[in-house]
Amino acid sequence: MTTVLTGITTTGTPHLGNYVGAIKPAIQKSQSENYDSYFFLADLHALIKCWEPDRIAQSTKEIAATWLALGLDTDKAMFYRQSDIPEIPELTWLLTCMCSKGLMNRSHAYKALVQENLDTGTNDPDKGITMGLFSYPVLMTADILMFNADEVPVGKDQTQHLEMARDIAARYNHHFGEHFVMPQTIVAKDQAVLPGLDGRKMSKSYNNTIPLWLPEKKLRKHIMKIKTNILEPGQPKDPNDSFVFDIYKAFATKEQTKVFAQKFAEGIAWGAAKQELFELINNELAEPRERYNELMEQPELIEQELLKGAQKAREFSVPFLKKLKNAVGIRPIA
Ligand code: TRP
């Protein structure tokens, strides 16, 4: 059995990019007989960059309802809220003590913030940087090592964090015995990286997202806003140079994609192309959207699922942490 694990930070509203790049492939994998899956809501990570409590609470609810509405089988997969597993922050400390500060200093994300500070001419390179932000790769490492994940699907921007996780795991193993397996990074294929309205990667930091659960009319409106070039109806269009096509491809079968490419060659109007894109996406999302809306009206069902997931996950994390603490010398006296 291979263990696959991934988390989503609970700071925003789920969008089409999260769906295509992370949630949909994860749910597919979780249906395989060969995988044990661990999917979680990274709410402790949310605190690193978001100090709006209501936003974190709302995002946690929305992201949880999303996984459930899309059909995640919570009897087969472990589905939990990070903060419901107190062993994770406890493990974070054990790992923090096995992590050289220099490793964190070399984090791309941290270095970019320091550079931003230097560029504005401040005399404090660490201005606005909390310890949470600085050391969050260790928390992420604990998420992964807590359940000895073999595979960790993440976005490209997270690959350095996985290197750090392996580094920390190796150091722990070296000092205290072979407790951790080395987690492998699984980076989504390029076609799974969805462009946003402006063509850059769809991301809440670029403010170019299409929210996943927009009502039908609004979804159509958003899709009509995707940036295109000025080619007129009747003029042939290049499918390899169109965000409308890129997004279509992410939802379509190979056959549908071929037909759509043909229409581009024949000069389909942008409005008509976008209408087809809307229909394709809407067909896929209409049913789960209803389930999503129902769940959002019954938050106690979501809460129940999360508590059930945490209970199951802790059947593993509680004894494992005990073993890890024992290994470092934190043991009962008698
Ligand atoms: N840091 C990840 C992100 O921003 C989210 C995350 C937290 C995660 N813990 C994780 C992903 C553990 C994979 C495994 O995308």
Side-chain angles (χ1 to χ4, degrees), residues 87 90-91 94 146 317-325:
E87 293 72 36
E90 210 174 332
L91 176 58
L94 302 192
M146 186 82 263
S317 62
V318 170
F320 189 38
L321 182 70
K322 207 165 160 194
K323 196 170 141 237
L324 295 170
K325 284 168 74 174

Side-chain angles (χ1 to χ4, degrees), residues 3 6 19 65 79 82-83 90 117 127 148 153-154 161 177 179 195 214 220 231-232 234 249 265 278:
T3 298
T6 197
Y19 172 65
F79 181 57
Q82 182 188 30
S83 61
E90 210 174 332
N117 278 336
K127 189 171 175 199
N148 257 333
V154 285
H161 297 147
H179 294 281
L214 289 175
R220 187 170 178 282
L231 292 175
E232 299 285 338
K249 207 164 64 181
F278 160 71

Side-chain angles (χ1 to χ4, degrees), residues 5-7 9 40 42 45 49 136 140 143-144 152-154 158:
L5 175 145
T6 197
T9 305
F40 67 97
H45 283 270
K49 50 190 169 187
Y136 104 90
M140 183 161 163
D143 293 330
I144 296 166
V152 183
V154 285
Q158 300 287 314

